[in-house]
Amino acid sequence: MAGDFVSSGVGRQSGRHGSHGRALYTEDERRRRDESAWTVVQGVLAPIQFAIFFVSLGLVLRYLTTGEGAFAADISIVAKTIALYAIMVTGSIWEKEVFGRWLFARPFFWEDVFSMLVLALHTAYLVMLFGGIGSIEARMFVALAAYAAYVVNATQFLLKLRAARLAAADGAVTA
């Protein structure tokens, strides 16, 4: 979803460029983005999810290295997954408001594609946990795979944010 990491936020400047040199937003899309309450929601949820991720990653690694704290690690992964679902749903609503598509709008197509992998891995973890499938260690490794995918997805959005800010700064200098 356009909301896995800072999708909505790509800043408030104009002049952003997505892939292939096209502007990230048309003027109408930028106006809809700026007027959308979901932009603020995404901007709040993204850092919360990131904080949960760091705490959870530490708890998962603690369990895998010491064998202690499985329950805390499981709770943290569930919390991370709930935060992910929240940002995915609200990001999809945001994407619909701004681009007229629930998913895979041109500017965030590849971020949305990778978000589906992130969502699938987190969901697989939940299926294992609540279905009693596999060992605790296997579950934790699925969580680590989900977290690795999340880091890639978050990086996609951060790079887009950086490019957008640079493009906006370049536009401000020449305008």
Side-chain angles (χ1 to χ4, degrees):
M1 316 283 134
D4 191 20
F5 196 75
V6 210
S7 65
S8 64
V10 218
R12 304 213 32 112
Q13 309 90 339
S14 60
R16 285 174 284 278
H17 294 280
S19 59
H20 310 298
R22 286 185 264 162
L24 188 57
Y25 299 99
T26 66
E27 287 301 314
D28 285 340
E29 290 165 348
R30 186 168 43 84
R31 179 189 47 76
R32 287 191 300 267
R33 180 207 62 200
D34 292 347
E35 292 173 356
S36 177
W38 297 107
T39 300
V40 175
V41 170
Q42 291 288 282
V44 169
L45 287 177
I48 290 171
Q49 181 186 202
F50 203 60
I52 294 169
F53 159 73
F54 272 120
V55 170
S56 184
L57 179 61
L59 291 170
V60 169
L61 292 174
R62 175 180 174 238
Y63 172 76
L64 289 172
T65 57
T66 69
E68 297 177 12
F71 181 74
D74 278 332
I75 293 296
S76 72
I77 299 164
V78 170
K80 166 67 174 74
T81 304
I82 290 169
L84 172 68
Y85 285 169
I87 205 163
M88 297 291 280
V89 168
T90 59
S92 183
I93 296 167
W94 175 86
E95 202 164 327
K96 176 71 172 164
E97 275 193 8
V98 174
F99 300 106
R101 296 184 62 133
W102 291 103
L103 280 170
F104 307 114
R106 175 192 45 83
F108 294 102
F109 179 83
W110 290 109
E111 290 82 355
D112 286 355
V113 167
F114 214 83
S115 291
M116 294 299 107
L117 174 63
V118 173
L119 187 61
L121 287 166
H122 280 78
T123 302
Y125 166 84
L126 291 180
V127 168
M128 292 177 76
L129 175 66
F130 294 118
I133 300 169
S135 66
I136 295 171
E137 289 78 14
R139 242 186 5 251
M140 295 298 161
F141 283 115
V142 169
L144 286 179
Y147 287 4
Y150 168 73
V151 167
V152 170
N153 198 222
T155 301
Q156 287 177 300
F157 284 107
L158 288 172
L159 290 173
K160 186 154 284 186
L161 173 64
R162 182 176 183 273
R165 287 187 175 160
L166 290 173
D170 288 345
V173 171
T174 60

